[in-house]
Amino acid sequence: MTNLNKEQDRGQWGSKLGFILAAAGSAVGLGNLWKFPYVAGKNGGGAFVLVYIIILFLVGFTLMLAEITLGRHTQVSAIGAYRKIRKKWAWVGALGVLAGFLILSFYSVVGGWVLSYLFKALTGALHVTDAEVLGNMFGGLISSTGTPIIFHAIFMVLNLIIVFGGISGGIEKASKIMMPALFVMIILLALRSVTLPGASEGLKFLFVPDFSVITPTVILDALGQVFFSLSLGMGCMITYGSYLSKDTDIIQSAIAIPVLDTAVALLAGIATLPAVFAFGFEPAAGPGLMFVTLPAVFSQMPLGGLFAVIFFLLVLFAALTSSISLLEVCVAYVVDEWKWKRAKATITMTIIIFLVGIPASLSFGVWEHIKIIGERGFFDTYDFIASNVLLPLGGLLLCIFVGWIWGTDRAVKEATNDGQREFSLASVWVFLIKYLGPLAIGAVFIRSIMAAF
């Protein structure tokens, strides 16, 4: 089979913009819209944002460029990429595929909750001002048996439809629609939030840093948020990079993706925290901010029903742009390693991931009493293994592999298209990937393991 036929089988991005939007979409997900506002709220607002932005460019850009470069150089998915350069390292790619598989199995359960809340917003069921009532509503949803599994299935079918269409015809086409729509919706919500009476306190909290609250915990939380928000360590960017043509400027892409991801995270903070302050709610409300606190906020603002619909549609789009990249990691593995056709690989992996996700859904209800690791049920166990073990370990090993095994000279040569493109910060990037990256990610890894027990 010729290289051309192989490329046609695997697919390629139709344009550089399509790749950037799809890759940014992979990074933009529930971590931006759900986690970033409440983690920022918990860690002092502006101080956390400042530390987050600094770490984003030191660590986020470093690993982003490493993954995309490795994928583009090898033109295969995560396992094959490591194997192609050093056969004994193929297991590192397998960690990424396993992480993507596990994350999607519980991420799609949360995606189902978002779908359910979108329907509730459309029918006016969320027009409740009492946070306690909304808390009971959310608890009732996730602890029931049938409803969350049905929405989990619908969410996986949406992923199946998009990924089934291939790279340019499915993922790229969907990302070109969802990402601009996502930006329009989040800007609308941000504009509405900042025009509420009392919103200025929320903006001050978010953007005026109080340096006295910066602690090692704040720094490590920011580092962890950057790492997990950018979809690093799970093979997504290696896989997406493998569909790039050799003339693509991947340095610009590796800068644009974190910038877009951070823009969404900051806009999410602007869309939520000023509104939370305006109506006297707690900014550090935790995970319940999206499903309990914000519906209560929307219920108290003019045209709140409309903004609730826009918000949950926005969250659905963000969840989908991330989840399709996770499914693609698994599909690309089967296509590349098992030589399956894309259609068979996509349908099979969707069904398996859906089935593995069912225990995660039931772990809040009828299987609540089943504990796997410590006091963790299925959902929390999947999350712990993927987020606390596989992702940071995958990122740490990526730094070691690119910095010391493949070699930074070869990586820079690939990133600059054999020296045809300018990379003035090459020496800085080499230092970051070889030294600072492993130390920073190692700190996150050790802390996450220690905090979990």
Side-chain angles (χ1 to χ4, degrees), residues 210-293:
D210 176 2
F211 294 103
S212 67
V213 304
I214 297 178
T215 63
T217 298
V218 170
I219 294 170
L220 287 171
D221 278 355
L223 184 58
Q225 178 66 16
V226 166
F227 190 75
F228 301 127
S229 177
L230 289 177
S231 299
L232 299 170
M234 64 180 76
C236 286
M237 295 305 162
I238 294 176
T239 303
Y240 274 16
S242 75
Y243 300 122
L244 284 171
S245 63
K246 288 293 185 179
D247 60 351
T248 303
D249 188 337
I250 56 179
I251 297 171
Q252 285 185 1
S253 300
I255 294 171
I257 295 162
V259 167
L260 287 172
D261 179 73
T262 305
V264 172
L266 291 175
L267 282 168
I270 295 169
T272 55
L273 291 175
V276 167
F277 269 83
F279 290 101
F281 286 94
E282 174 55 52
L289 187 66
M290 184 165 79
F291 292 107
V292 178
T293 305

Side-chain angles (χ1 to χ4, degrees), residues 163-192:
V163 175
F164 192 90
I167 299 305
S168 61
I171 294 174
E172 182 173 353
K173 188 178 290 185
S175 298
K176 282 183 172 179
I177 295 169
M178 288 193 290
M179 286 301 290
L182 187 152
F183 270 98
V184 170
M185 287 188 287
I186 200 167
I187 288 169
L188 278 174
L189 286 168
L191 288 172
R192 183 66 191 96

Side-chain angles (χ1 to χ4, degrees), residues 123-196:
T123 58
L126 294 181
H127 194 67
V128 179
T129 56
D130 190 333
E132 185 177 347
V133 173
L134 287 164
N136 291 334
M137 182 188 297
F138 179 59
L141 168 68
I142 66 173
S143 63
S144 61
T145 301
T147 303
I149 292 176
I150 291 170
F151 280 109
H152 163 49
I154 295 171
F155 186 79
M156 284 306 302
V157 168
L158 292 174
N159 281 272
L160 167 66
I161 292 168
I162 295 169
V163 175
F164 192 90
I167 299 305
S168 61
I171 294 174
E172 182 173 353
K173 188 178 290 185
S175 298
K176 282 183 172 179
I177 295 169
M178 288 193 290
M179 286 301 290
L182 187 152
F183 270 98
V184 170
M185 287 188 287
I186 200 167
I187 288 169
L188 278 174
L189 286 168
L191 288 172
R192 183 66 191 96
S193 179
V194 299
T195 55
L196 291 169

Side-chain angles (χ1 to χ4, degrees), residues 185-428:
M185 287 188 287
I186 200 167
I187 288 169
L188 278 174
L189 286 168
L191 288 172
R192 183 66 191 96
S193 179
V194 299
T195 55
L196 291 169
S200 59
E201 285 303 308
L203 289 173
K204 182 180 177 183
F205 175 78
L206 186 62
F207 290 112
V208 178
D210 176 2
F211 294 103
S212 67
V213 304
I214 297 178
T215 63
T217 298
V218 170
I219 294 170
L220 287 171
D221 278 355
L223 184 58
Q225 178 66 16
V226 166
F227 190 75
F228 301 127
S229 177
L230 289 177
S231 299
L232 299 170
M234 64 180 76
C236 286
M237 295 305 162
I238 294 176
T239 303
Y240 274 16
S242 75
Y243 300 122
L244 284 171
S245 63
K246 288 293 185 179
D247 60 351
T248 303
D249 188 337
I250 56 179
I251 297 171
Q252 285 185 1
S253 300
I255 294 171
I257 295 162
V259 167
L260 287 172
D261 179 73
T262 305
V264 172
L266 291 175
L267 282 168
I270 295 169
T272 55
L273 291 175
V276 167
F277 269 83
F279 290 101
F281 286 94
E282 174 55 52
L289 187 66
M290 184 165 79
F291 292 107
V292 178
T293 305
L294 285 177
V297 168
F298 291 134
S299 296
Q300 295 183 48
M301 75 169 58
L303 297 176
L306 172 63
F307 287 103
V309 170
I310 293 172
F311 176 76
F312 283 105
L313 186 61
L314 162 70
V315 177
L316 175 63
F317 279 13
L320 277 171
T321 56
S322 286
S323 59
I324 57 177
S325 71
L326 294 169
L327 181 56
E328 178 59 29
V329 168
C330 301
V331 169
Y333 159 71
V334 174
V335 169
D336 287 347
E337 301 293 322
W338 297 359
K339 309 304 178 187
W340 283 16
K341 295 292 186 183
R342 171 170 283 271
K344 179 183 177 183
T346 307
I347 293 169
T348 303
M349 293 310 300
T350 299
I351 292 171
I352 294 172
I353 290 167
F354 165 71
L355 293 174
V356 173
I358 290 175
S361 180
L362 296 178
S363 66
F364 295 99
V366 294
W367 286 2
E368 186 179 15
H369 63 285
I370 301 176
K371 305 301 179 185
I372 310 299
I373 297 178
E375 291 300 308
R376 297 177 184 85
F378 283 100
F379 187 101
D380 291 336
T381 296
Y382 293 173
D383 186 13
F384 170 74
I385 293 172
S387 301
N388 294 60
V389 180
L390 296 177
L391 288 188
L393 188 58
L396 176 62
L397 292 169
L398 170 73
C399 289
I400 295 170
F401 184 78
V402 173
W404 301 95
I405 306 298
W406 183 25
T408 51
D409 288 346
R410 295 185 186 94
V412 170
K413 184 179 179 182
E414 177 67 36
T416 58
N417 295 14
D418 291 332
Q420 295 178 34
R421 299 188 185 278
E422 181 69 25
F423 188 16
S424 57
L425 295 177
S427 59
V428 176

